[in-house]
Amino acid sequence: MSFTPSSSNADLQARRVAAVARGVGTAWPVFAVRAEGSELWDAEGRRYIDFAGGIAVLNTGHRHPKVIAAVKAQLDAFTHTAFQIIPYEPYIRLCEKLNAIAPVGGPAKSLLFSTGAEAVENAVKIARAHTGRPGLIAFSGAFHGRTYLATGLTGKVAPYRTKFGIAPPGIYHVPFPAPSLGVTVEDSLKALETLFRADIAPTDVAAILLEPVQGEGGFLPAPKELWEALRAICDKHGIVLIADEVQTGFARTGKMFGVEHSGVTPDLMTLAKSLAGGFPLSGVVGKAAIMDAADPGGLGGTYAGNPLACAAALAVLEVIEEEKLVERGAALGARMKRKLEEISLRNDSAPIAGIRGPGAMVAFDVVKARGSDEPDAEAARRVTQAAMADGLILLTCGVHGNTVRLLNPLTISDEILEEGLAKLEKALIQAAS
């Protein structure tokens, strides 16, 4: 049965309000009916350039031909058996591929799930099984998912914990180093030392979780010095170091994985988002001796490692290699940051600062005045509204809501990239008037 959309976004929005629980937010009352590459069309036939990428899910773009072909081939074979009942080769082959590319410094093993939050929760279960310890440490500003444990690990109360009660026991947060917030790496490490003295002994900690670049926290890269210090602390106390690569993985940062910028090898990595090019798939990959800590039956899920999603992911990995998207991510990021630097010099645009990000995981802050770092969330909102009105999809993030993040597909053409950046510049000018 085919679906024929309403001719009106407003009509669809009214139906959405009436039928869908309000707890799931929506950035824009615009409804997709078609997408291709870096472009999307709504229910009224309007075209948009996608600089959101489904929140970093579409590194290989909407409906990449190779991904679609792989899914169609798997669709003709079978769609579900549950890997715990009747296993299948695409799951095994994908784990073999992930094991081969994971920078964990030795023999690796993997297992698959459906969402990033599932990957985080299962990484925690594996770390607890391996260490026999309960404690978990994450960072302020971190985002690790919306399930109960993942929400507890997330270092931001509103909106992720509002009305949902306190976090599960055994979770602790330390400040994330960010110059814009006045926190240094030394401050973070001192807070960790205080935590070990005042609240939980390091010998009771199972894992420390860290995003290579904080996503919802404002696209803040974790300093190399922090990674190195955490690796030494984890080695000293037998703590599992988990790199949450859900948003940073698969060529987005100009490396296959964001942690590679640090030169540090984590023990476990959580994967999702762009792993399967828009199909729901996540995973945990890590050192084999740690990954094997859980007993058979302790991990898994009915839909975990769905065969259609596995087929998509295998195609995604081929596309990344064949189209050199790691290198493309680095080149795109440099190009975007150059353009943002040019825009920052204009006197007729909304003031911006803090242009940053490894590879194509680029962001900037909208501020009150040039030369300041005082956040202006209202101006950032005007920027995204003006961009959307002109056919450019943007997202904000950050603890103050004034960070604009750019997550266009890495397969974007030079022409569409330039068109999108021109629309961004126009939006920044309009937001200042």
Side-chain angles (χ1 to χ4, degrees), residues 241-258:
L241 181 59
I242 301 175
D244 186 342
E245 292 273 2
V246 167
Q247 189 163 173
T248 51
F250 303 103
R252 172 55 57 182
T253 68
K255 300 280 189 182
M256 182 60 84
F257 299 106

Side-chain angles (χ1 to χ4, degrees), residues 123-401:
V124 166
K125 288 167 67 176
I126 292 166
R128 283 175 165 173
H130 174 70
T131 62
R133 306 171 182 176
L136 303 169
I137 297 173
F139 286 82
S140 60
F143 182 82
H144 294 293
R146 286 185 173 88
T147 52
Y148 184 47
L149 179 65
T151 297
L153 290 164
T154 292
K156 186 178 180 182
V157 172
Y160 306 116
R161 295 193 221 165
T162 304
K163 296 186 176 181
F164 300 140
I166 62 173
I171 296 175
Y172 304 88
H173 290 90
V174 295
F176 183 82
S180 61
L181 301 177
V183 180
T184 66
V185 172
E186 184 180 2
D187 293 333
S188 297
L189 295 176
K190 282 184 177 178
L192 185 58
E193 291 175 6
T194 300
L195 184 69
F196 286 158
R197 289 195 303 269
D199 293 306
I200 185 170
T203 50
D204 287 327
V205 176
I208 297 177
L209 296 88
L210 180 63
E211 298 164 277
V213 180
Q214 283 201 338
E216 296 298 318
F219 273 35
L220 303 174
K224 184 175 187 290
E225 296 78 13
L226 178 63
W227 277 110
E228 291 172 342
L230 292 179
R231 180 69 275 173
I233 290 167
C234 288
D235 288 342
K236 179 180 179 181
H237 298 293
I239 299 170
V240 174
L241 181 59
I242 301 175
D244 186 342
E245 292 273 2
V246 167
Q247 189 163 173
T248 51
F250 303 103
R252 172 55 57 182
T253 68
K255 300 280 189 182
M256 182 60 84
F257 299 106
V259 72
E260 293 181 274
H261 289 279
S262 73
V264 168
T265 57
D267 298 309
L268 301 178
M269 298 164 57
T270 57
L271 315 173
K273 290 192 180 284
S274 277
L275 170 58
F279 290 83
L281 186 68
S282 66
V284 181
V285 58
K287 295 177 179 176
I290 298 175
M291 291 292 294
D292 278 341
D295 293 333
L299 304 172
T302 301
Y303 298 106
N306 173 268
L308 297 175
C310 287
L314 288 164
V316 163
L317 292 176
E318 289 182 11
V319 170
I320 290 173
E321 182 177 0
E322 292 170 0
E323 300 187 17
K324 302 185 186 308
L325 293 189
V326 171
E327 295 83 354
R328 177 70 172 162
L332 285 171
R335 193 167 176 175
M336 290 188 286
K337 283 180 274 193
R338 281 197 301 271
K339 180 61 176 178
L340 290 170
E341 292 289 354
E342 291 176 12
I343 295 171
S344 72
L345 299 176
R346 297 187 66 124
N347 293 320
D348 58 348
S349 70
I352 65 174
I355 299 164
R356 60 188 177 274
M361 195 169 179
V362 173
F364 61 89
D365 299 324
V366 183
V367 295
K368 293 282 189 181
R370 283 170 183 78
S372 81
D373 57 5
E374 185 180 356
D376 193 337
E378 175 57 29
R381 185 184 64 82
R382 294 198 302 271
V383 171
T384 59
Q385 287 180 329
M388 195 69 180
D390 196 32
L392 176 67
I393 304 171
L394 292 176
L395 295 173
T396 57
C397 64
V399 295
H400 300 298

